[in-house]
Amino acid sequence: MKLYLSIISFLFIHLCYSQVIDLSQDELLRSGNVFLKKFNTSNSDIKGNPFLEEKFQKGNISFPNGKIYTAFIRLDVANQKFEIKKDLNSKPSSIEIDNSVSVTINQDNFKNRSFELGNNKTIGILKECLITEKYELFYYPQKIIEMPNNNGISAPPTGYTKTPQAKWKDNSSFIIFYDGKTYQLPTSHKKMIELRLFDEKLYKKYRKANKL
């Protein structure tokens, strides 16, 4: 995490009238930019949850024409969809958005973007961290299901053993868009330098000055 914070700070140094309308859900879906999906409850057999934040938080869905739909929202990371409620007591709906729509949850901005990582083309929901003239830094929230390891588990004398439980595991990362390419940030400064996104001497000098 220190690496990511240092990159955000480094990018800051490297920097050489919406109409708010309380739309109804019908109006939201008629916009053509949001696609309603049947709500499914999460699998109770898996420990944890597939959400970025389990609790619904106040947020907005913003459209290219300037209109904004206000709701309680959470991000289903595993399925790359948003779940919305008109109020905390209402039943949630699962929605998909296209790349013209932006979603704000608790002042964090999210966009659905298409990008390439390695040789694989990916479509994912990204959280905006920092946008400069040269760089775009985003957080890419992901979760995977980690299966239990049955090795080394022996039954007690009674002959009964509890079945190991699968669980949701965080698999998120930070990505940078630079010069028409997408880079997934590594977890070490050495590998970060090898990407050649920044001047190596300047990057090392910044790390040393800030004890990173």
Side-chain angles (χ1 to χ4, degrees):
M1 183 57 69
K2 284 186 178 180
L3 170 63
Y4 301 139
L5 293 176
S6 66
I7 291 171
I8 293 174
S9 301
F10 184 76
L11 286 175
F12 271 118
I13 294 175
H14 220 65
L15 281 171
C16 300
Y17 171 63
S18 291
Q19 185 181 7
V20 180
I21 299 177
D22 189 17
L23 297 173
S24 68
Q25 191 172 95
D26 288 340
E27 290 173 316
L28 171 70
L29 300 177
R30 285 200 301 269
S31 69
N33 308 97
V34 173
F35 311 97
L36 181 66
K37 299 293 180 180
K38 184 177 180 181
F39 176 75
N40 294 313
T41 56
S42 58
N43 192 331
S44 59
D45 293 332
I46 303 174
K47 187 178 180 180
N49 65 76
F51 307 109
L52 181 60
E53 297 290 344
E54 188 171 10
K55 291 184 178 180
F56 283 86
Q57 301 180 70
K58 288 184 178 180
N60 300 314
I61 303 173
S62 304
F63 297 90
N65 62 6
K67 291 186 177 181
I68 296 176
Y69 177 82
T70 59
F72 288 90
I73 311 173
R74 69 181 177 185
L75 173 59
D76 181 344
V77 174
N79 294 300
Q80 292 292 291
K81 299 175 184 177
F82 290 97
E83 293 180 0
I84 62 172
K85 287 183 174 186
K86 182 64 179 177
D87 56 63
L88 291 176
N89 296 320
S90 60
K91 186 177 179 180
S93 299
S94 180
I95 63 169
E96 293 180 357
I97 62 171
D98 65 21
N99 58 10
S100 69
V101 177
S102 62
V103 176
T104 302
I105 305 175
N106 196 26
Q107 299 184 336
D108 290 326
N109 297 319
F110 297 85
K111 292 281 290 187
N112 188 18
R113 291 190 58 161
S114 175
F115 53 93
E116 287 190 8
L117 285 177
N119 296 320
N120 299 319
K121 190 169 184 179
T122 304
I123 298 176
I125 296 174
L126 307 179
K127 184 177 79 171
E128 180 182 307
C129 296
L130 180 66
I131 307 295
T132 74
E133 185 177 346
K134 294 177 63 176
Y135 304 96
E136 293 180 277
L137 176 65
F138 288 86
Y139 179 64
Y140 183 23
Q142 291 180 291
K143 283 190 176 183
I144 58 174
I145 297 175
E146 183 177 66
M147 302 305 295
N149 183 1
N150 294 317
N151 295 333
I153 298 176
S154 57
T158 58
Y160 171 80
T161 182
K162 186 177 181 180
T163 303
Q165 189 176 19
K167 63 180 180 180
W168 289 105
K169 181 180 179 181
D170 182 65
N171 193 42
S172 305
S173 61
F174 285 84
I175 60 175
I176 282 182
F177 295 101
Y178 170 67
D179 198 25
K181 296 181 180 180
T182 308
Y183 299 87
Q184 190 168 32
L185 300 191
T187 55
S188 74
H189 287 291
K190 181 180 178 180
K191 291 182 178 180
M192 185 67 207
I193 290 174
E194 291 174 355
L195 292 178
R196 300 185 182 279
L197 292 174
F198 315 114
D199 180 272
E200 182 176 343
K201 291 182 179 179
L202 184 60
Y203 184 66
K204 287 183 177 180
K205 183 179 180 180
Y206 175 79
R207 283 184 53 209
K208 184 177 180 180
N210 290 275
K211 298 179 180 180
L212 298 171

